[in-house]
Amino acid sequence: LWAGDPVAAAEFGGEGFRLHEGLGDPGFLSNAAGTLALAIYALDQLEPQPLTGVGLPKGPIVSPDGQWVVFVEPGFGPGPAVKKVSINGGPPLDISRLDGPSRGVTWGDDDVIIAASGAPATGLVRILPSGGEPIVLTRPNRERGENDHWFPVSLPGGRSVLFTVTSLTGGLNAAHVAVLDVAAGTWRTLIRNASQARYLPSGHLVYLAGERPQKKVGDDDRYTNRDHRLPQLLTLHVAQYHDLQQKSE
């Protein structure tokens, strides 16, 4: 799921539906204003059906039973709101609020939502779909050079969560993929110099590794290290999760 670019993002849900996040009809919405809306459509249909009104929804994730969509939306409160909306439509429901910018959300098959907060002192938090205050699961370990915890992905059973540990020196270029033992509250490194791992039903992990271009002094201010027009030197890798567990640190 890619939610950083408002042009398009998609993830397959259950029962032949696809969740879609993209710019609204330019005849009604102003693209320059960055307005977004979530929509859903059956794969045998060409026209999506609106799922939310106009706003700034980010990072939509489908619930394990395929009946709900959770997403994060900036608001006027102390942090972005975590919301859910029925797959059949209706008003979105506020279920919690993060203490910093969203850095990824996952909804495990144990019916628990794990979100990543961009607040300096907070890493991953646990949120119940029924609502309530988030419970902090991890905090970056500065003594080990950790800057933040991003991109959570619940593993089958809900006992473990993949996530990316960014570095105090080097950012995502020096990041590593770790796995959290939710019950113990501890985590260990699976893959160094890697990020944004995803678990596949086959038991494989897909992840990114390589160099992200950095902005240099004197570069045009229109370009940043997150700009899609810069050359990306990242490569996609696949590995067996079981093998990585045996070699984890």
Side-chain angles (χ1 to χ4, degrees):
L1 175 65
W2 175 255
D5 188 339
V7 175
E11 175 181 315
F12 282 99
E15 303 300 327
F17 288 94
R18 176 179 295 189
L19 181 67
H20 176 79
E21 177 189 9
L23 290 173
D25 187 338
F28 297 94
L29 305 179
S30 170
N31 292 352
T35 50
L36 299 173
L38 294 183
I40 192 166
Y41 59 91
L43 295 180
D44 60 353
Q45 298 178 4
L46 295 178
E47 296 297 325
Q49 298 298 314
L51 195 60
T52 66
V54 175
L56 292 171
K58 292 289 184 179
I61 295 292
V62 182
S63 64
D65 63 6
Q67 297 303 303
W68 294 90
V69 177
V70 67
F71 61 96
V72 179
E73 188 166 33
F76 298 102
V82 182
K83 302 182 178 184
K84 70 176 182 179
V85 63
S86 169
I87 209 79
N88 299 311
L93 306 174
D94 287 16
I95 58 175
S96 194
R97 191 171 289 275
L98 301 178
D99 61 353
S102 172
R103 295 294 183 257
V105 180
T106 184
W107 195 332
D109 57 16
D110 59 341
D111 203 29
V112 170
I113 297 168
I114 306 294
S117 168
T122 306
L124 305 183
V125 298
R126 179 178 183 266
I127 299 171
L128 294 179
S130 57
E133 291 295 317
I135 299 172
V136 176
L137 295 178
T138 70
R139 297 187 187 276
N141 189 328
R142 301 287 189 261
E143 294 181 356
R144 294 168 53 180
E146 298 181 358
N147 181 58
D148 212 342
H149 296 165
W150 291 4
F151 311 129
V153 175
S154 291
L155 294 176
R159 294 188 296 271
S160 302
V161 178
L162 292 173
F163 65 101
T164 296
V165 179
T166 62
S167 174
L168 285 171
T169 56
L172 280 173
N173 283 339
H176 59 269
V177 173
V179 59
L180 167 70
D181 182 323
V182 176
T186 58
W187 56 94
R188 62 184 188 276
T189 299
L190 284 181
I191 317 168
R192 291 202 170 274
N193 302 115
S195 65
Q196 291 169 269
R198 292 292 183 268
Y199 182 85
L200 302 180
S202 63
H204 291 82
L205 292 189
V206 178
Y207 61 94
L208 294 176
E211 292 290 324
R212 289 169 172 78
Q214 299 295 315
K215 184 177 178 180
K216 299 178 181 179
V217 176
D219 282 354
D220 192 316
D221 286 341
R222 293 174 301 170
Y223 296 86
T224 69
N225 63 342
R226 295 178 64 186
D227 197 302
H228 64 86
R229 292 168 291 187
L230 283 175
Q232 297 294 310
L233 307 179
L234 298 173
T235 54
L236 194 65
H237 295 254
V238 180
Q240 277 279 358
Y241 176 61
H242 177 74
D243 294 342
L244 294 172
Q245 278 187 307
Q246 301 302 314
K247 303 174 183 177
S248 63
E249 303 172 17

